[in-house]
Amino acid sequence: TIDNAYIEFKNTEGRMVSINILSADGRLVKHDQTNAEQYVLAKEYFGPGLYYIELIMDDRRSVQKLIVK
């Protein structure tokens, strides 16, 4: 089975959101963009460990942790 992480955020106006996935040491692992209110991240492409999910929309920035087992 594919193990996915579902990242949800408020984006009612359909603005472009930049999504950066960073490794624990700060290296950029994946970059993507969406104008939806949800992003599905297939965790099968990431080895076990701690990652940071950075969401950037206009002048707002949010960072959350993701742990892949």
Side-chain angles (χ1 to χ4, degrees), residues 4-55:
N4 293 326
Y6 295 89
I7 304 161
E8 296 181 351
F9 39 89
K10 186 174 180 178
N11 188 15
T12 55
E13 296 179 9
R15 296 188 183 276
M16 192 57 66
V17 179
S18 291
I19 302 163
N20 295 319
I21 311 298
L22 304 154
S23 62
D25 62 2
R27 287 182 298 118
L28 181 64
V29 177
K30 180 175 176 63
H31 169 78
D32 206 349
Q33 293 184 320
T34 185
N35 60 356
E37 289 189 282
Q38 182 182 68
Y39 183 77
V40 180
L41 180 66
K43 293 192 292 184
E44 67 181 312
Y45 299 109
F46 300 91
L50 173 67
Y51 296 88
Y52 294 97
I53 301 170
E54 177 184 48
L55 303 175

